[in-house]
Amino acid sequence: MAAEPTVIVVGGGYCGVTTAQYLDTFANVTLVEERDRFVHNVGLLRGLVDAGFADDLTMPYTSALARGEVVHARVVQFDGEGVELSDGRILYADFVVLATGSGYPFPAKLTGPHIYSELERLADATRDLRSAKNVLIVGAGPVGVELAGEITSAWPGKSTTIIDRADKIVPGPYSDAFRDSLASQLSDRDVRVCLGVDLIGLPLTPAGVHAPSKVESTSGEPFDFDIWFRCFGGRPDTDYLGSTIVQAVRDDGRIDVEPSLQVAGYCNVFAVGDVTSVPEAKRAGVASGHARVVAANIRAIHDGAVPRERYVPGAARIVVPLGPDGGAGFAAGVEITQREVLESKGKDLNVARVRGQLLGRTSNRGRP
Ligand SMILES: Cc1cc2nc3c(=O)[nH]c(=O)nc-3n(C[C@H](O)[C@H](O)[C@H](O)COP(=O)(O)OP(=O)(O)OC[C@H]3O[C@@H](n4cnc5c(N)ncnc54)[C@H](O)[C@@H]3O)c2cc1C
C-alpha cells in the first residue's frame, strides 16, 4: 500500500463528516456526498417554525476537511470494490466507509441534492403552518413530540393533536418519569395526545401543506386538520449496495457490522451511524465514538496490524426539547434535569457546535 491509506467515505452527514475528519489526519480521504450543503437536521423542526433559525442549519462543505476532497455526487452502486457515482465516474480506494444514514419524512430530514430548493420548501411549509388553526401530527415518537413542542412554543394558541397507535409517547428504553414529564408539559400547552388510535389510512392531502381535511380512526373518531405532519417511518439508506454486499443488510434494513465497525464479511469496508446494525438508539451523538474506532482500525490494517479497536454502545440517552424553553431528557438510567435539557440541546439545538465543526464559525446571517 502507499504511504497513506486512501479512503472513500460515502455520505457526509454527522457520522460521515466526523469519520472523514478523523481519517483526514493520516489518510488520503474522499468524502462523497450527494447534497451541495451539509444539513444540521437536528434543528429542522425549529427551522420550520422560525425562518431565521433555518438560515443557520445548512453550511458548505468547503472547510470540512483540511486535506481531503469532497465530491458532490450520489453513489449509485457499490459492491465491495469500485464506488460508482451518478456522474459516471468510478472511484477506488484501499478502504470504503459507508455513512449513508437514514431518510425521514419532511421536514425532520430534507431530501435531494439541492438544499436551497429544499429550504424553499421548508419556508412554504412555515407559511402554511403559520396560517393553520388545527395541526395534526401522526406519530408520538421523539420527532412528533418535539414538533408539537416547537409549534406550541412558536404559536401558543394553535390547536395541536398528536395521534399514535402505540400506548405511550416516545417508546424505547426510557423511564416513565421522563415520559410523564413530557406528557404533563404537552398537557400544559393544550396539546391533545391520542394514544392507541389506529387510523383507517394516512391523510390523502400532502403532508406539510395547508389543505384542510380530516381522517378517521378505525373506531370512527374523526380528526379534522388544516395541515398534517408525518412523524414516523425513518429508513436506512442502502439502495446503492450491489447484489453481493447487500447480503450484509439485515431484515430491518441496517448494515450488519462487527464490533470493529467492519461490514460483516468485509475487511476493508466499514460502516458508521444510522445505517449500521449497532444496537443503540440512532443518534448523531455517536459520531465521534464510531469515527474513533474506524480510524484506529483503518490505521492498524494499513500498518499491517490486527484491527483491535471495538465499539461499545453507550447507555440509552435521549433529549426531547419542547421548543427553546421546555422538554425532558433521560441518560444512563436517570431522568436529566430541564436545565441540562436546555443546555445540552434545547436552547440552540447544537447549531453553534455543528457550525464550529464544519466551518469554525457560528452564523450564516448577514453573510453572502
Ligand atoms: C427531528 C430529529 C431530531 C434529532 N435530534 C437528535 C439529537 O438531538 N441528538 C442526536 O444525537 N440525534 C438526533 N437525531 C438523530 C440524528 O439526526 C441521526 O442519528 C443522524 O442524522 C445520523 O447521522 P448519519 O451521519 O448516520 O446519517 P445522516 O445524517 O442521515 O447522513 C447521511 C448522509 O448521507 C448522504 N447520502 C445518503 N445516501 C447517499 C448516496 N447514495 N450517495 C451519496 N450520499 C448519500 C445523505 O445525503 C446524508 O447527507 C434527530 C433526528 C431527527 C429526525
Side-chain angles (χ1 to χ4, degrees):
M1 285 191 189
E4 282 193 339
T6 54
V7 187
I8 297 169
V9 178
V10 183
Y14 302 99
C15 295
V17 166
T18 305
T19 304
Q21 289 177 333
Y22 269 69
L23 291 163
D24 200 35
T25 58
F26 66 91
N28 181 336
V29 177
T30 303
L31 175 63
V32 184
E33 165 57 49
E34 94 166 303
R35 294 176 173 165
D36 48 12
R37 289 173 75 81
F38 179 90
V39 180
H40 177 39
N41 76 263
V42 167
L44 281 172
L45 300 181
R46 189 162 303 162
L48 174 69
V49 303
D50 176 351
F53 192 81
D55 286 346
D56 277 347
L57 297 179
T58 74
M59 50 216 93
Y61 282 91
T62 37
S63 310
L65 299 180
R67 303 187 313 140
E69 184 191 7
V70 181
V71 171
H72 289 289
R74 182 163 179 84
V75 170
V76 291
Q77 173 81 3
F78 173 66
D79 208 8
E81 294 195 0
V83 175
E84 187 179 340
L85 308 186
S86 44
D87 60 16
R89 281 183 290 166
I90 302 181
L91 308 180
Y92 293 89
D94 302 327
F95 300 91
V96 174
V97 182
L98 307 177
T100 44
S102 57
Y104 199 94
F106 175 87
K109 283 197 168 181
L110 305 180
T111 49
H114 305 300
I115 290 308
Y116 281 121
S117 58
E118 282 294 290
L119 289 176
E120 280 171 24
R121 186 177 169 212
L122 187 70
D124 289 346
T126 306
R127 192 199 55 225
D128 282 12
L129 177 56
R130 186 179 293 116
S131 65
K133 285 201 176 71
N134 296 310
V135 182
L136 179 68
I137 295 171
V138 183
V143 176
V145 168
E146 187 171 329
L147 177 57
E150 293 296 348
I151 291 171
T152 49
S153 281
W155 298 292
K158 215 177 273 295
S159 153
T160 304
T161 301
I162 309 179
I163 298 181
D164 202 307
R165 62 160 66 105
D167 60 2
K168 53 184 164 189
I169 60 171
V170 193
Y174 317 119
S175 67
D176 286 341
F178 156 73
R179 273 186 274 271
D180 290 347
S181 170
L182 285 173
S184 86
Q185 291 177 63
L186 290 172
S187 162
D188 291 346
R189 291 160 180 250
D190 292 327
V191 174
R192 188 174 160 222
V193 180
C194 305
L195 299 173
V197 172
D198 237 328
L199 294 177
I200 289 174
L202 287 176
L204 297 175
T205 52
V209 172
H210 190 285
S213 185
K214 72 173 164 194
V215 272
E216 252 182 44
S217 71
T218 48
S219 64
E221 189 181 357
F223 293 90
D224 294 311
F225 61 87
D226 298 318
I227 189 168
W228 77 283
F229 292 95
R230 175 175 167 159
C231 292
F232 67 93
R235 48 156 197 84
D237 201 339
T238 58
D239 61 358
Y240 58 94
L241 294 179
S243 57
T244 305
I245 197 169
V246 81
Q247 288 165 28
V249 175
R250 306 183 324 178
D251 288 348
D252 64 0
R254 303 200 188 275
I255 300 173
D256 199 8
V257 289
E258 308 290 349
S260 60
L261 299 182
Q262 285 163 301
V263 173
Y266 290 79
C267 176
N268 291 8
V269 182
F270 290 76
V272 291
D274 275 17
V275 80
T276 69
S277 62
V278 174
E280 63 187 352
K282 297 304 170 195
R283 300 191 304 114
V286 303
S288 294
H290 286 203
R292 191 183 53 72
V293 168
V294 169
N297 286 334
I298 285 181
R299 193 195 280 268
I301 297 170
H302 182 72
D303 291 346
V306 174
R308 293 193 192 285
E309 207 62 42
R310 298 281 175 270
Y311 179 74
V312 181
R317 178 186 163 83
I318 190 166
V319 175
V320 181
L322 295 177
D325 46 8
F330 176 88
V334 289
E335 197 192 351
I336 60 180
T337 66
Q338 194 160 85
R339 191 167 148 216
E340 286 169 315
V341 169
L342 299 185
E343 274 167 12
S344 68
K345 180 173 174 186
K347 266 189 199 146
D348 89 328
L349 300 179
N350 297 329
V351 170
R353 190 173 55 70
V354 172
R355 293 189 70 78
Q357 182 183 356
L358 267 284
L359 302 171
R361 65 175 194 236
T362 55
S363 177
N364 266 346
R365 291 171 212 182
R367 288 175 194 273

